[in-house]
Amino acid sequence: MTTERPAPEAYPGPAALAAHPTYAATAHIDDLRATEYRHLDRDGHVYLDYAGAGVAARSQIVAHHDRLLSGLFSNPHSENPTSVAADSLVESARRAVLDFFRADPAEYAVVFTPNASGACRLVGEAYAFGRARALVLTDDNHNSVNGIREYARAAGAPVRYVPLTGPHLRVAEADVVAALTGPGGLVGRARRWRGSGPRGLFAYPAQSNFSGVQHPLGWVELAQRHGYDVLLDAAAYVPTNRLDLGVVHPDFVCLSWYKLFGYPTGVGALVARREALARLRRPWFAGGTIRAVSVRGDWHRPLDDESGFEDGTLNFLSIPDVEFGVRWLDGIGVDLVHARVGLLTGWLLERLTALRHRTGQPLVEVYGPPTADGRGGTVAFNFRRPDGSLVDERLVAIDASAAGFSLRTGCFCNPGAGEGAFGITRRTLRRTPLAHVETIDQYLAALGVPTGGAVRVSFGLASTAGDAERFLAFAESTYLDRAGPASTRLAPRQRC
């Protein structure tokens, strides 16, 4: 989805941001911040980690409370009144999800999962990978998608990554086509795959959770023309962008609901085309996923609808909160949230990249697009000292926490984007001895890179001008023209 945004030079100064016409058009979000989200402003805290988790509105919590106290609900795998009541709410939530994504119920099914990672695992473990059925991924996938390669390799399938190009960390469409066609010659973009069955699985994020880059949704149809099923990781995209499954038709969509509206946690979804779902072959079965089973006869018959992918008892007390959440977000307006987040992102990028130390060195190095064009509300960067050296992201985490900011530091479970940002090439990795490397810090030392992570600020549904302005003031007062401590004892990096 494309929404018109102000030209870079049109972004106002800090004092005028809230009065800007584009910002004023999204004033309903400020009203919600003062009522439904007023807990965000307690104790002077500033929340800037919407890519990590959305925030819950007061009405969401009240609705959950009222529903549990006004009715009785039990395990849906029964036929008693409380079970039927729970099952009715779960099925209503499925319909609400399809409505939210404008998906045809005849084409798409909703499988409830613990999170987006669980949705990816369902596809990975059950997909028919093989020597002639490849897995193709972009470099900037989240680890929950990268992990699918283990299933592919175990089945002997080729695994091909599409590289990031340039400092903006985008992916060239020509490289996508080359990876889809694989070795042995090109297949023209206009030609459809005529082989028997799918050629493989193409997995990519609609929006990078590291850089905020938004990849073309048109790649879904492009990959399908080349014979691929498509897994679209929408976890970072759908909180602030409209995904219309009546227009674009990925075979699998993975997401976590807490990323959209904060609550409930522990519930995600695999939204899948029914035809693609029917081709998956699960490697095991569990309670709730089978029509019939025999121990002595050693046979089982799986359910042939979405229930066949929902292991055990669903989170039936929280899934109804998904319906409230999508209707809540729809009521606010995804386009309104998109416009607000786009303005704040463009404003912060323009202001941060304009800051210079007295030495002439830039205060920040941004990883990804330097403007709001073709990106979401996630901004990854590192601070630089007056001499040009990087401020360790772990030190920024300490400083930001002490100042009352919740943001993210590290590589955000996205090692491919991190390697692209820090210039770690495949050739470098091949030439560097890593046999005895056991920790992230040893890995970085072996590669000779100055840092292994970045600072990530992200905007979302309840973000305001005040959040952006306060972070800019923190950045200037803490790091501009400041050399920093001569030495600081920092905790070792634990994960990526």
Side-chain angles (χ1 to χ4, degrees):
M1 182 185 70
T2 302
T3 298
E4 185 176 347
R5 292 172 172 148
E9 65 273 9
Y11 288 113
L17 177 57
H20 190 272
T22 304
Y23 186 90
T26 64
H28 179 50
I29 292 176
D30 295 307
D31 296 336
L32 291 170
R33 176 68 171 258
T35 54
E36 292 286 345
Y37 299 97
R38 61 180 181 270
H39 50 286
L40 292 180
D41 296 311
R42 289 176 187 158
D43 304 319
H45 196 83
V46 179
Y47 187 77
L48 294 170
D49 192 23
Y50 286 86
V55 294
R58 182 179 185 276
S59 288
Q60 291 174 259
I61 308 305
V62 170
H64 177 85
H65 171 274
D66 290 349
R67 185 179 67 254
L68 294 189
L69 292 183
S70 64
L72 187 59
F73 309 97
S74 67
N75 194 320
H77 295 158
S78 188
E79 300 298 332
N80 63 60
T82 56
S83 174
V84 171
D87 186 64
S88 175
L89 291 178
V90 169
E91 295 309 311
S92 181
R94 289 192 211 277
R95 292 190 294 272
V97 170
L98 293 175
D99 288 345
F100 181 74
F101 290 119
R102 301 173 182 173
D104 182 352
E107 180 182 9
Y108 279 96
V110 176
V111 177
F112 287 114
T113 65
N115 43 41
S117 300
C120 293
R121 179 184 59 78
L122 281 178
V123 177
E125 70 178 10
Y127 194 81
F129 290 113
R131 294 185 181 278
R133 194 160 288 166
L135 173 65
V136 177
L137 316 96
T138 57
D139 267 8
D140 59 346
N141 271 297
H142 189 279
N143 274 337
S144 296
V145 179
N146 286 324
I148 296 175
R149 73 189 188 192
E150 301 306 305
Y151 292 112
R153 284 174 175 157
V159 176
R160 296 191 288 271
Y161 274 95
V162 188
L164 305 178
T165 58
H168 296 177
L169 304 181
R170 297 196 184 276
V171 174
E173 186 167 302
D175 290 335
V176 173
V177 173
L180 292 173
T181 55
L186 294 176
V187 176
R189 285 186 55 186
R191 292 176 55 189
R192 279 195 179 274
W193 170 247
R194 303 297 184 186
S196 175
R199 195 176 188 178
L201 181 69
F202 175 50
Y204 78 101
Q207 177 177 312
S208 169
N209 75 306
F210 186 108
S211 66
V213 163
Q214 291 181 342
H215 297 303
L217 295 179
W219 287 354
V220 172
E221 197 270 340
L222 170 68
Q224 289 169 338
R225 281 205 315 268
H226 282 79
Y228 284 79
D229 292 317
V230 178
L231 183 150
L232 185 70
D233 177 6
Y237 182 82
V238 291
T240 60
N241 299 271
R242 172 65 68 184
L243 177 62
D244 189 335
L245 296 181
V247 175
V248 60
H249 300 270
D251 298 278
F252 307 103
V253 179
C254 303
L255 58 107
S256 291
W257 296 111
Y258 73 91
K259 294 288 181 77
L260 279 81
F261 33 74
Y263 185 82
T265 58
V267 183
L270 172 66
V271 183
R273 292 181 61 238
R274 293 185 182 276
E275 184 272 334
L277 197 64
R279 287 190 276 103
L280 299 182
R281 293 293 179 264
R282 302 205 65 192
W284 83 310
F285 62 88
T289 67
I290 50 175
R291 188 177 306 282
V293 61
S294 171
V295 171
R296 294 182 179 179
D298 192 24
W299 61 269
H300 73 280
R301 296 291 180 268
L303 289 166
D304 56 8
D305 62 6
E306 52 267 51
S307 299
F309 293 85
E310 294 172 338
D311 298 330
T313 301
L314 286 172
N315 190 346
F316 60 89
L317 294 182
S318 292
I319 287 175
D321 297 309
V322 172
E323 176 169 2
F324 187 95
V326 295
R327 302 216 185 280
W328 175 258
L329 184 52
D330 245 349
I332 296 169
V334 175
D335 291 347
L336 186 74
V337 175
H338 179 83
R340 164 64 65 92
V341 167
L343 178 64
L344 295 179
T345 303
W347 182 88
L348 184 64
L349 280 166
E350 184 187 69
R351 299 294 160 179
L352 280 176
T353 55
L355 292 173
R356 294 286 188 276
H357 295 289
R358 292 191 185 95
T359 60
Q361 290 284 349
L363 177 64
V364 301
E365 179 171 348
V366 172
Y367 306 116
T371 70
D373 294 332
R375 60 133 67 239
T378 297
V379 181
F381 60 94
N382 273 317
F383 288 109
R384 287 195 176 276
R385 296 187 178 90
D387 64 1
S389 62
L390 294 180
V391 179
D392 194 294
E393 80 281 357
R394 293 170 293 176
L395 181 60
V396 177
I398 294 170
D399 293 341
S401 296
F405 291 89
S406 282
L407 45 75
R408 182 81 177 265
T409 58
C411 81
F412 325 127
C413 300
N414 196 321
E419 289 165 350
F422 305 128
I424 302 172
T425 65
R426 286 178 171 80
R427 182 180 181 185
T428 299
L429 292 171
R430 285 195 299 267
R431 297 176 62 180
T432 303
L434 300 172
H436 301 292
V437 167
E438 297 183 357
T439 69
I440 294 176
D441 288 324
Q442 290 173 353
Y443 174 75
L444 298 174
L447 293 174
V449 296
T451 185
V455 180
R456 187 182 74 184
V457 167
S458 51
F459 298 109
L461 190 159
S463 294
T464 66
D467 298 333
E469 290 164 358
R470 284 185 59 187
F471 181 75
L472 182 69
F474 161 77
E476 291 187 75
S477 63
T478 308
Y479 301 109
L480 190 62
D481 293 320
R482 295 180 182 270
S487 63
T488 304
R489 186 181 297 275
L490 298 170
R493 297 178 176 91
Q494 297 297 324
R495 67 187 63 148
C496 180

